[in-house]
Amino acid sequence: MGLVNLDIKPRSAFGKNENRRTRAGGHIPAVLYGKDRETESIELETHSFSVALMHLAGRTALFSLNGDEDNIALLREVQRNPVTDEILHVDLMSIPRGVPVTVPVALEVVGECQAVKSGDASVAMSLDRIEISVRPRHMPDYLEVDISELDVNDKIFAKDIKFENGELITDPETLILNIKASSLALEPLDEEGAEGEEGEEGASADGAEEKKDEE
């Protein structure tokens, strides 16, 4: 996947009032931390960060900082105002070059399942992403889940997801999806058979009453 560039600047002013001023000036207070390094107080340009989040659209948020592809950071947390949805604070984790990182990766269903196409079944998703350990440069935008060869009641587990680089962290036996039979596909009751059975029962009852009358 291509890394999204994110410009950062050092931040020297702290406290609630200063953070309000920072946001009012079109920037977001943030921190950058990582293993074997001191935590840095930084700020991000609000508009460019919001655009970057839209560009990522559900993918794992990895950034190259200030255009340096050797300086990579993973988005760990975005704090928002619960009423206005304004971004209040951002946490970024620095990723050393060549070091694997454990991240969730989105799953995308591909292929055409004939049972689903015919209306006999539907795709029941249990999980929409799995965790893998992978080097940032090899991180996929998403992982494909091919359902073209599946039939009714078939299942796909985490261990069935194929990817070239990295290691699966999610429990291999975790259910990803199954092809669930549609209620419309259930065999309808044979109306003629039902009427026939009812008719036979009725005839038997009538016969029993007639025999009783004769006695």
Side-chain angles (χ1 to χ4, degrees):
M1 66 180 291
L3 297 176
V4 176
N5 181 59
L6 184 65
D7 291 328
I8 65 172
K9 295 179 180 178
R11 177 167 56 98
S12 57
F14 308 99
K16 290 184 178 180
N17 291 334
E18 291 298 335
N19 286 346
R20 290 193 189 98
R21 292 189 185 97
T22 297
R23 289 190 286 269
H27 292 81
I28 304 168
V31 293
L32 175 65
Y33 62 92
K35 186 178 180 180
D36 299 328
R37 65 173 296 163
E38 293 184 3
T39 299
E40 297 179 47
S41 296
I42 58 174
E43 62 182 47
L44 319 172
E45 202 277 318
T46 303
H47 177 70
S48 61
F49 180 70
S50 299
V51 170
L53 287 184
M54 292 177 60
H55 177 72
L56 289 164
R59 295 181 300 164
T60 301
L62 269 180
F63 301 102
S64 61
L65 302 180
N66 296 332
D68 182 1
E69 292 199 355
D70 289 331
N71 192 7
I72 301 172
L74 172 69
L75 178 63
R76 275 304 190 189
E77 185 178 9
V78 176
Q79 298 176 18
R80 294 179 181 270
N81 184 304
V83 177
T84 65
D85 204 39
E86 176 191 13
I87 299 176
L88 302 178
H89 194 274
V90 171
D91 287 5
L92 297 169
M93 185 176 76
S94 177
I95 307 296
R97 179 181 174 86
V99 175
V101 58
T102 296
V103 290
V105 179
L107 301 175
E108 182 170 309
V109 176
V110 299
E112 189 173 65
C113 174
Q114 290 303 312
V116 173
K117 183 180 179 181
S118 65
D120 293 334
S122 61
V123 179
M125 292 289 297
S126 298
L127 203 63
D128 64 356
R129 60 191 60 222
I130 59 173
E131 282 197 336
I132 65 173
S133 176
V134 62
R135 293 182 178 181
R137 292 182 182 279
H138 296 153
M139 187 175 298
D141 291 339
Y142 59 87
L143 295 173
E144 293 185 348
V145 184
D146 190 356
I147 63 170
S148 57
E149 300 298 324
L150 301 187
D151 206 343
V152 178
N153 295 327
D154 283 348
K155 297 179 175 65
I156 288 183
F157 298 90
K159 63 185 178 183
D160 301 319
I161 307 299
K162 307 300 182 185
F163 51 95
E164 294 182 0
N165 299 293
E167 176 186 357
L168 178 66
I169 299 301
T170 297
D171 184 344
E173 300 302 325
T174 300
L175 178 66
I176 301 299
L177 64 79
N178 69 298
I179 305 300
K180 185 178 180 182
S182 170
S183 58
L184 298 177
L186 297 177
E187 193 170 322
L189 180 65
D190 186 345
E191 294 182 0
E192 292 184 2
E195 291 177 357
E197 292 176 3
E198 186 178 342
E200 291 176 3
E201 290 177 359
S204 299
D206 291 342
E209 288 184 4
E210 289 178 3
K211 185 174 181 181
K212 185 176 181 182
D213 292 339
E214 290 176 0
E215 292 176 351

